[in-house]
Structure formats: C-alpha cells, structure tokens
Amino acid sequence: MALDKRGFISASEVVVYVPILIIGVVLVLRHGFSKKAGWLYLVILSVMRIVGGVTHILSETTDKNNITLKVVYGICEGSGTSPLLLATMGFLQAAASGALDNHFITTKGVKLAGLVATVGLILAIMGGVKTGNASTESDLNEGVKLRRIGTALFVVVYAFDVLFNVLLWSERSRLLLNRRKFLTRITFALPFLSVRILYSVLSAFAPTEETIGANGKVTFFSSNSGLARFSQTSGDWALYLIMSVVAEFITVVIYAVTGMTTSLENDYAGSRTQDWDGPEEMARLKPAYEYAPYAPGQTYAPQPYAPQPYAPQPYSQ
C-alpha cells in the first residue's frame, strides 16, 4: 500500500529526527541528565517523533484498521508538545542559573509549571487512548474532552515560558556572559514555538469527523467548520506540514545548534565584567574600583582615588 502525503511527512520526520536524537544524547552526556538542562526532553521528543512516524507509516502500508498503530501515532502526535515546552523551560532555567537561582519564578514557578505540563501530558495520552479505542459516542466525546483539557494546560505552560523569557531579558545585566548568549539564541526559537502551539490548539478544537452509533458502527462525515482544516487525521496536509512539522523542527534545530555551540560550564570562571554591555553599564560598574583602599583604625570616608603622576627619583648609594 502506498503512502499518502501525511505518510511521506511522517517518513521525513523519522529521517530528520534520528540525527536530532543522536545530538540530543550527546548533549545529555555533556551537560548531564538534570531537568534544568532541558536536553533530556529533547531526546524524549525525538523518540516520540520517530515512534510516531514509524507507526504512521506501518498503519498506512500494512493494516489501516490496526487500532493500536493509530492510537500510538495519535498519542505521539498530540503529546509531543509537552517535552518541547519542558525543554524550553529547562533551557530558560539554565540561562537563569547563577543569577536568579532564588527568584520565585525559577524555584516555585518552574516546579508548578512542570507539574501542569505533566498533568497535560497524562490527559493527552488518556484522551488519545480513549478516542482510539472508543466503542460508544460517550467514550469518543470523553476522549476528545481530555485531549482538549491537556492542550489547554500546554498553553498555560507556554505562557509561563514566555513570562520566564521576559523576566530573563529584564534581568539580563545580571546573567553570566555565556548565559546571555544562550538566552538570545533560545529567544530566536520562540516565534516558531508559538506557531507550533497555535496549531496544537486549533487541531485539538477541530471538530470530530466521526460518530459512533448505538450498534457500535463508526460513521465518518465531512465538517464545514473552518477548524476542520486543522484536524489531526483529515486536515490540510500543507498546514500541518508548515505549522506543525516545520515550525517544531526549526525550534528543535535552534535548540540543538545552541547546545552544540554554547558552553555554559566555564561561565563561573570569569566575572560578569568580562563583557560589559557598553559605556553606560561600564560607567555604572567602574566607580566601584576607583576608591582608595580602606586603612584599619581610620574613620571610613572613601574619597575618589586620584592617581599621582610618576616622578622618577635619582639613584643614590
């Protein structure tokens, strides 16, 4: 059996995410398995995209009526947003490390957002299983509802990531040198991540183009709703390719390249003053070094230090 357009897209995902998976493993080994690093989630996302692509291909080429393959593909497709958002959060947390470690956002905020993302992932998986194995109209509607709630929670986590990013930019002068560069590159990915999240929302709330009768028979129909173009199973393949696959892949590539080219390990070796952001910041920081040293036993009254011109003295025996 031949692949349709979505099948070819799934095959392309398998091809491109295999090297991303390898890069992700390398980055995990380099930076560690800490959730703060974010690289572990990049590996999880790559695995989900590869598994989802393979099961989609098998579904189209072997048995289109295989419920298990469809359920696995649907879960991987609908739940992949969670590790992507968690990876973004981990990268932002890494950028804040050493400067905003005790801030509410980087402590309680990150933990709460991570919990929300986890709950959203569980609901998305439950919704995918419920929808794929639905034998009644009630089961089908319940699965769709769970998926939509999970997607809504993903939007909450995305909003937190944007807020976290804004906070880091407002405190950029406090960040360590390489982490400033790291933040800049991660920020470049946010517009593409926004498009990916938008497609997830539109897809989750697209009308269900099937109904299950009292006898358990499934009937498919076409919807006139504009959101039908974003349906996970029968939507416009071009919109799916651009807004979902390509937008997500660009985001992941930016993250992978950033991880391969930005070193965070040596950020603590030097001072933040190694790369003052121009004359204004230099003027603000430099006066701290222009005072004469304090002598014990004297009344502390710092005076501006005025360097004396060097006057050579004649040498005498």
Side-chain angles (χ1 to χ4, degrees), residues 8 10 21 23 26 41 53 98 125-126 137 155 163 175 178-179 181 193-194 196 206 219 243 262 279 291 305:
F8 281 112
S10 294
L21 174 60
I23 293 174
V26 172
Y41 295 115
I125 293 175
M126 292 175 59
E137 188 73 13
V155 173
L163 176 63
L175 302 183
N178 287 342
R179 293 171 198 271
K181 300 176 182 178
L193 178 62
S194 302
R196 178 64 182 91
T219 303
M243 295 184 65
T262 306
Y291 293 105
Y305 174 69

PDB file of all heavy atoms in Angstrom, residues 8 10 21 23 26 41 53 98 125-126 137 155 163 175 178-179 181 193-194 196 206 219 243 262 279 291 305:
ATOM      1  N   PHE A   8       4.198  10.448   3.845  1.00  0.00           N
ATOM      2  CA  PHE A   8       5.527  10.916   3.431  1.00  0.00           C
ATOM      3  C   PHE A   8       6.096  11.921   4.437  1.00  0.00           C
ATOM      4  O   PHE A   8       7.307  11.947   4.682  1.00  0.00           O
ATOM      5  CB  PHE A   8       5.449  11.546   2.043  1.00  0.00           C
ATOM      6  CG  PHE A   8       5.409  10.546   0.925  1.00  0.00           C
ATOM      7  CD1 PHE A   8       4.264  10.388   0.159  1.00  0.00           C
ATOM      8  CD2 PHE A   8       6.515   9.746   0.644  1.00  0.00           C
ATOM      9  CE1 PHE A   8       4.218   9.457  -0.875  1.00  0.00           C
ATOM     10  CE2 PHE A   8       6.482   8.813  -0.379  1.00  0.00           C
ATOM     11  CZ  PHE A   8       5.325   8.669  -1.141  1.00  0.00           C
ATOM     12  N   SER A  10       5.503  11.833   7.644  1.00  0.00           N
ATOM     13  CA  SER A  10       5.962  11.007   8.767  1.00  0.00           C
ATOM     14  C   SER A  10       7.303  10.353   8.462  1.00  0.00           C
ATOM     15  O   SER A  10       8.177  10.271   9.327  1.00  0.00           O
ATOM     16  CB  SER A  10       4.914   9.934   9.086  1.00  0.00           C
ATOM     17  OG  SER A  10       3.724  10.511   9.573  1.00  0.00           O
ATOM     18  N   LEU A  21      18.106  12.983  17.545  1.00  0.00           N
ATOM     19  CA  LEU A  21      18.193  12.100  18.712  1.00  0.00           C
ATOM     20  C   LEU A  21      19.653  11.865  19.101  1.00  0.00           C
ATOM     21  O   LEU A  21      20.002  11.913  20.292  1.00  0.00           O
ATOM     22  CB  LEU A  21      17.516  10.768  18.401  1.00  0.00           C
ATOM     23  CG  LEU A  21      17.642   9.666  19.466  1.00  0.00           C
ATOM     24  CD1 LEU A  21      17.037  10.109  20.787  1.00  0.00           C
ATOM     25  CD2 LEU A  21      16.990   8.379  18.971  1.00  0.00           C
ATOM     26  N   ILE A  23      22.244  13.819  18.457  1.00  0.00           N
ATOM     27  CA  ILE A  23      22.764  15.073  19.010  1.00  0.00           C
ATOM     28  C   ILE A  23      22.254  15.272  20.431  1.00  0.00           C
ATOM     29  O   ILE A  23      22.997  15.696  21.329  1.00  0.00           O
ATOM     30  CB  ILE A  23      22.361  16.262  18.114  1.00  0.00           C
ATOM     31  CG1 ILE A  23      23.060  16.163  16.756  1.00  0.00           C
ATOM     32  CG2 ILE A  23      22.717  17.585  18.792  1.00  0.00           C
ATOM     33  CD1 ILE A  23      22.613  17.221  15.768  1.00  0.00           C
ATOM     34  N   VAL A  26      24.176  13.155  22.845  1.00  0.00           N
ATOM     35  CA  VAL A  26      25.494  13.755  23.069  1.00  0.00           C
ATOM     36  C   VAL A  26      25.397  14.929  24.045  1.00  0.00           C
ATOM     37  O   VAL A  26      26.220  15.074  24.965  1.00  0.00           O
ATOM     38  CB  VAL A  26      26.111  14.215  21.734  1.00  0.00           C
ATOM     39  CG1 VAL A  26      27.387  15.028  21.986  1.00  0.00           C
ATOM     40  CG2 VAL A  26      26.418  13.024  20.843  1.00  0.00           C
ATOM     41  N   TYR A  41      14.681  16.284  27.627  1.00  0.00           N
ATOM     42  CA  TYR A  41      13.375  16.415  26.978  1.00  0.00           C
ATOM     43  C   TYR A  41      13.507  16.444  25.463  1.00  0.00           C
ATOM     44  O   TYR A  41      12.599  16.027  24.737  1.00  0.00           O
ATOM     45  CB  TYR A  41      12.666  17.675  27.472  1.00  0.00           C
ATOM     46  CG  TYR A  41      12.309  17.626  28.932  1.00  0.00           C
ATOM     47  CD1 TYR A  41      12.885  18.508  29.837  1.00  0.00           C
ATOM     48  CD2 TYR A  41      11.405  16.681  29.420  1.00  0.00           C
ATOM     49  CE1 TYR A  41      12.561  18.467  31.186  1.00  0.00           C
ATOM     50  CE2 TYR A  41      11.083  16.630  30.768  1.00  0.00           C
ATOM     51  CZ  TYR A  41      11.663  17.522  31.646  1.00  0.00           C
ATOM     52  OH  TYR A  41      11.348  17.475  32.971  1.00  0.00           O
ATOM     53  N   GLY A  53       6.244   8.503  13.764  1.00  0.00           N
ATOM     54  CA  GLY A  53       6.414   8.396  12.314  1.00  0.00           C
ATOM     55  C   GLY A  53       6.393   6.953  11.843  1.00  0.00           C
ATOM     56  O   GLY A  53       5.758   6.628  10.833  1.00  0.00           O
ATOM     57  N   GLY A  98      22.837  30.872  38.361  1.00  0.00           N
ATOM     58  CA  GLY A  98      23.948  31.714  38.797  1.00  0.00           C
ATOM     59  C   GLY A  98      23.574  33.153  39.021  1.00  0.00           C
ATOM     60  O   GLY A  98      24.360  33.931  39.557  1.00  0.00           O
ATOM     61  N   ILE A 125      -2.466  11.770  26.746  1.00  0.00           N
ATOM     62  CA  ILE A 125      -2.321  10.329  26.496  1.00  0.00           C
ATOM     63  C   ILE A 125      -3.636   9.604  26.766  1.00  0.00           C
ATOM     64  O   ILE A 125      -4.072   8.760  25.969  1.00  0.00           O
ATOM     65  CB  ILE A 125      -1.203   9.752  27.384  1.00  0.00           C
ATOM     66  CG1 ILE A 125       0.154  10.324  26.954  1.00  0.00           C
ATOM     67  CG2 ILE A 125      -1.181   8.232  27.307  1.00  0.00           C
ATOM     68  CD1 ILE A 125       1.300   9.914  27.853  1.00  0.00           C
ATOM     69  N   MET A 126      -4.277   9.948  27.875  1.00  0.00           N
ATOM     70  CA  MET A 126      -5.562   9.324  28.184  1.00  0.00           C
ATOM     71  C   MET A 126      -6.591   9.631  27.107  1.00  0.00           C
ATOM     72  O   MET A 126      -7.382   8.750  26.713  1.00  0.00           O
ATOM     73  CB  MET A 126      -6.061   9.812  29.549  1.00  0.00           C
ATOM     74  CG  MET A 126      -5.242   9.330  30.723  1.00  0.00           C
ATOM     75  SD  MET A 126      -5.804  10.060  32.310  1.00  0.00           S
ATOM     76  CE  MET A 126      -7.508   9.503  32.343  1.00  0.00           C
ATOM     77  N   GLU A 137     -20.353   6.634  21.553  1.00  0.00           N
ATOM     78  CA  GLU A 137     -20.243   8.071  21.332  1.00  0.00           C
ATOM     79  C   GLU A 137     -19.774   8.774  22.599  1.00  0.00           C
ATOM     80  O   GLU A 137     -19.005   9.744  22.539  1.00  0.00           O
ATOM     81  CB  GLU A 137     -21.601   8.625  20.896  1.00  0.00           C
ATOM     82  CG  GLU A 137     -21.566  10.074  20.460  1.00  0.00           C
ATOM     83  CD  GLU A 137     -20.903  10.283  19.110  1.00  0.00           C
ATOM     84  OE1 GLU A 137     -20.685   9.283  18.398  1.00  0.00           O
ATOM     85  OE2 GLU A 137     -20.609  11.440  18.762  1.00  0.00           O
ATOM     86  N   VAL A 155      -0.989  25.246  26.842  1.00  0.00           N
ATOM     87  CA  VAL A 155      -0.995  26.689  26.579  1.00  0.00           C
ATOM     88  C   VAL A 155      -0.572  27.451  27.835  1.00  0.00           C
ATOM     89  O   VAL A 155       0.153  28.448  27.755  1.00  0.00           O
ATOM     90  CB  VAL A 155      -2.388  27.150  26.107  1.00  0.00           C
ATOM     91  CG1 VAL A 155      -2.443  28.674  25.995  1.00  0.00           C
ATOM     92  CG2 VAL A 155      -2.731  26.517  24.767  1.00  0.00           C
ATOM     93  N   LEU A 163       6.618  34.263  29.862  1.00  0.00           N
ATOM     94  CA  LEU A 163       6.821  35.127  31.029  1.00  0.00           C
ATOM     95  C   LEU A 163       8.232  34.969  31.581  1.00  0.00           C
ATOM     96  O   LEU A 163       8.893  35.965  31.930  1.00  0.00           O
ATOM     97  CB  LEU A 163       5.795  34.774  32.106  1.00  0.00           C
ATOM     98  CG  LEU A 163       5.920  35.531  33.440  1.00  0.00           C
ATOM     99  CD1 LEU A 163       5.693  37.019  33.227  1.00  0.00           C
ATOM    100  CD2 LEU A 163       4.927  34.981  34.463  1.00  0.00           C
ATOM    101  N   LEU A 175      22.849  38.315  34.305  1.00  0.00           N
ATOM    102  CA  LEU A 175      23.179  36.978  33.818  1.00  0.00           C
ATOM    103  C   LEU A 175      24.660  36.876  33.501  1.00  0.00           C
ATOM    104  O   LEU A 175      25.306  37.865  33.125  1.00  0.00           O
ATOM    105  CB  LEU A 175      22.362  36.652  32.569  1.00  0.00           C
ATOM    106  CG  LEU A 175      20.837  36.698  32.693  1.00  0.00           C
ATOM    107  CD1 LEU A 175      20.190  36.272  31.389  1.00  0.00           C
ATOM    108  CD2 LEU A 175      20.352  35.837  33.847  1.00  0.00           C
ATOM    109  N   ASN A 178      28.060  33.798  29.028  1.00  0.00           N
ATOM    110  CA  ASN A 178      27.600  32.818  28.051  1.00  0.00           C
ATOM    111  C   ASN A 178      26.105  32.561  28.154  1.00  0.00           C
ATOM    112  O   ASN A 178      25.471  32.170  27.176  1.00  0.00           O
ATOM    113  CB  ASN A 178      28.373  31.510  28.224  1.00  0.00           C
ATOM    114  CG  ASN A 178      29.803  31.620  27.739  1.00  0.00           C
ATOM    115  OD1 ASN A 178      30.139  32.532  26.980  1.00  0.00           O
ATOM    116  ND2 ASN A 178      30.658  30.720  28.182  1.00  0.00           N
ATOM    117  N   ARG A 179      25.547  32.784  29.326  1.00  0.00           N
ATOM    118  CA  ARG A 179      24.117  32.573  29.502  1.00  0.00           C
ATOM    119  C   ARG A 179      23.307  33.689  28.861  1.00  0.00           C
ATOM    120  O   ARG A 179      22.147  33.486  28.503  1.00  0.00           O
ATOM    121  CB  ARG A 179      23.789  32.409  30.987  1.00  0.00           C
ATOM    122  CG  ARG A 179      24.403  31.126  31.513  1.00  0.00           C
ATOM    123  CD  ARG A 179      24.344  30.958  33.006  1.00  0.00           C
ATOM    124  NE  ARG A 179      25.307  29.943  33.400  1.00  0.00           N
ATOM    125  CZ  ARG A 179      25.037  28.633  33.464  1.00  0.00           C
ATOM    126  NH1 ARG A 179      23.831  28.196  33.176  1.00  0.00           N
ATOM    127  NH2 ARG A 179      25.968  27.772  33.824  1.00  0.00           N
ATOM    128  N   LYS A 181      24.220  34.942  25.931  1.00  0.00           N
ATOM    129  CA  LYS A 181      24.202  34.463  24.548  1.00  0.00           C
ATOM    130  C   LYS A 181      23.217  33.303  24.407  1.00  0.00           C
ATOM    131  O   LYS A 181      22.490  33.212  23.413  1.00  0.00           O
ATOM    132  CB  LYS A 181      25.603  34.014  24.136  1.00  0.00           C
ATOM    133  CG  LYS A 181      26.658  35.111  24.204  1.00  0.00           C
ATOM    134  CD  LYS A 181      28.037  34.567  23.879  1.00  0.00           C
ATOM    135  CE  LYS A 181      29.104  35.638  23.997  1.00  0.00           C
ATOM    136  NZ  LYS A 181      30.463  35.113  23.738  1.00  0.00           N
ATOM    137  N   LEU A 193       8.053  28.277  18.041  1.00  0.00           N
ATOM    138  CA  LEU A 193       7.329  27.531  19.067  1.00  0.00           C
ATOM    139  C   LEU A 193       5.897  28.038  19.181  1.00  0.00           C
ATOM    140  O   LEU A 193       4.961  27.247  19.376  1.00  0.00           O
ATOM    141  CB  LEU A 193       8.049  27.665  20.414  1.00  0.00           C
ATOM    142  CG  LEU A 193       7.391  26.990  21.617  1.00  0.00           C
ATOM    143  CD1 LEU A 193       7.303  25.487  21.399  1.00  0.00           C
ATOM    144  CD2 LEU A 193       8.157  27.300  22.898  1.00  0.00           C
ATOM    145  N   SER A 194       5.697  29.335  19.029  1.00  0.00           N
ATOM    146  CA  SER A 194       4.361  29.913  19.090  1.00  0.00           C
ATOM    147  C   SER A 194       3.464  29.359  17.986  1.00  0.00           C
ATOM    148  O   SER A 194       2.293  29.038  18.217  1.00  0.00           O
ATOM    149  CB  SER A 194       4.435  31.444  18.985  1.00  0.00           C
ATOM    150  OG  SER A 194       5.233  31.994  20.007  1.00  0.00           O
ATOM    151  N   ARG A 196       3.822  26.490  16.512  1.00  0.00           N
ATOM    152  CA  ARG A 196       3.565  25.075  16.830  1.00  0.00           C
ATOM    153  C   ARG A 196       2.461  24.942  17.868  1.00  0.00           C
ATOM    154  O   ARG A 196       1.584  24.065  17.728  1.00  0.00           O
ATOM    155  CB  ARG A 196       4.856  24.432  17.354  1.00  0.00           C
ATOM    156  CG  ARG A 196       4.701  22.973  17.761  1.00  0.00           C
ATOM    157  CD  ARG A 196       4.347  22.117  16.564  1.00  0.00           C
ATOM    158  NE  ARG A 196       4.147  20.728  16.930  1.00  0.00           N
ATOM    159  CZ  ARG A 196       2.963  20.207  17.266  1.00  0.00           C
ATOM    160  NH1 ARG A 196       1.890  20.979  17.298  1.00  0.00           N
ATOM    161  NH2 ARG A 196       2.850  18.925  17.542  1.00  0.00           N
ATOM    162  N   ALA A 206     -10.527  21.220  16.680  1.00  0.00           N
ATOM    163  CA  ALA A 206     -11.157  20.919  15.388  1.00  0.00           C
ATOM    164  C   ALA A 206     -12.294  19.926  15.612  1.00  0.00           C
ATOM    165  O   ALA A 206     -12.234  19.087  16.509  1.00  0.00           O
ATOM    166  CB  ALA A 206     -10.126  20.347  14.430  1.00  0.00           C
ATOM    167  N   THR A 219     -19.211   5.962  11.798  1.00  0.00           N
ATOM    168  CA  THR A 219     -19.570   6.641  10.552  1.00  0.00           C
ATOM    169  C   THR A 219     -18.748   7.913  10.431  1.00  0.00           C
ATOM    170  O   THR A 219     -18.696   8.719  11.372  1.00  0.00           O
ATOM    171  CB  THR A 219     -21.064   6.994  10.525  1.00  0.00           C
ATOM    172  OG1 THR A 219     -21.842   5.803  10.705  1.00  0.00           O
ATOM    173  CG2 THR A 219     -21.441   7.644   9.203  1.00  0.00           C
ATOM    174  N   MET A 243       2.844  24.489   9.847  1.00  0.00           N
ATOM    175  CA  MET A 243       2.599  24.996  11.196  1.00  0.00           C
ATOM    176  C   MET A 243       2.989  24.010  12.292  1.00  0.00           C
ATOM    177  O   MET A 243       3.268  24.428  13.422  1.00  0.00           O
ATOM    178  CB  MET A 243       1.117  25.364  11.348  1.00  0.00           C
ATOM    179  CG  MET A 243       0.667  26.508  10.464  1.00  0.00           C
ATOM    180  SD  MET A 243      -1.064  26.971  10.776  1.00  0.00           S
ATOM    181  CE  MET A 243      -0.979  27.568  12.466  1.00  0.00           C
ATOM    182  N   THR A 262      27.313  26.590  22.374  1.00  0.00           N
ATOM    183  CA  THR A 262      27.392  27.475  23.537  1.00  0.00           C
ATOM    184  C   THR A 262      27.860  26.685  24.743  1.00  0.00           C
ATOM    185  O   THR A 262      27.234  25.701  25.124  1.00  0.00           O
ATOM    186  CB  THR A 262      26.022  28.111  23.844  1.00  0.00           C
ATOM    187  OG1 THR A 262      25.527  28.758  22.668  1.00  0.00           O
ATOM    188  CG2 THR A 262      26.158  29.138  24.961  1.00  0.00           C
ATOM    189  N   PRO A 279      29.258  51.532  27.172  1.00  0.00           N
ATOM    190  CA  PRO A 279      29.748  52.592  28.047  1.00  0.00           C
ATOM    191  C   PRO A 279      28.822  52.889  29.220  1.00  0.00           C
ATOM    192  O   PRO A 279      29.280  53.261  30.296  1.00  0.00           O
ATOM    193  CB  PRO A 279      29.862  53.805  27.115  1.00  0.00           C
ATOM    194  CG  PRO A 279      28.989  53.472  25.945  1.00  0.00           C
ATOM    195  CD  PRO A 279      29.045  51.997  25.808  1.00  0.00           C
ATOM    196  N   TYR A 291      38.066  53.825  44.278  1.00  0.00           N
ATOM    197  CA  TYR A 291      38.245  54.375  45.606  1.00  0.00           C
ATOM    198  C   TYR A 291      39.552  53.871  46.210  1.00  0.00           C
ATOM    199  O   TYR A 291      39.975  52.744  45.967  1.00  0.00           O
ATOM    200  CB  TYR A 291      37.074  53.986  46.510  1.00  0.00           C
ATOM    201  CG  TYR A 291      35.777  54.626  46.090  1.00  0.00           C
ATOM    202  CD1 TYR A 291      34.806  53.864  45.446  1.00  0.00           C
ATOM    203  CD2 TYR A 291      35.533  55.979  46.302  1.00  0.00           C
ATOM    204  CE1 TYR A 291      33.611  54.441  45.038  1.00  0.00           C
ATOM    205  CE2 TYR A 291      34.345  56.564  45.902  1.00  0.00           C
ATOM    206  CZ  TYR A 291      33.392  55.801  45.275  1.00  0.00           C
ATOM    207  OH  TYR A 291      32.224  56.376  44.877  1.00  0.00           O
ATOM    208  N   TYR A 305      39.812  58.089  44.250  1.00  0.00           N
ATOM    209  CA  TYR A 305      41.245  57.886  44.121  1.00  0.00           C
ATOM    210  C   TYR A 305      41.774  58.676  42.936  1.00  0.00           C
ATOM    211  O   TYR A 305      41.264  58.544  41.809  1.00  0.00           O
ATOM    212  CB  TYR A 305      41.535  56.398  43.927  1.00  0.00           C
ATOM    213  CG  TYR A 305      42.987  56.103  43.630  1.00  0.00           C
ATOM    214  CD1 TYR A 305      43.965  56.269  44.598  1.00  0.00           C
ATOM    215  CD2 TYR A 305      43.355  55.658  42.368  1.00  0.00           C
ATOM    216  CE1 TYR A 305      45.282  55.988  44.326  1.00  0.00           C
ATOM    217  CE2 TYR A 305      44.679  55.380  42.081  1.00  0.00           C
ATOM    218  CZ  TYR A 305      45.643  55.550  43.066  1.00  0.00           C
ATOM    219  OH  TYR A 305      46.943  55.280  42.781  1.00  0.00           O
TER     220      TYR A 305
END
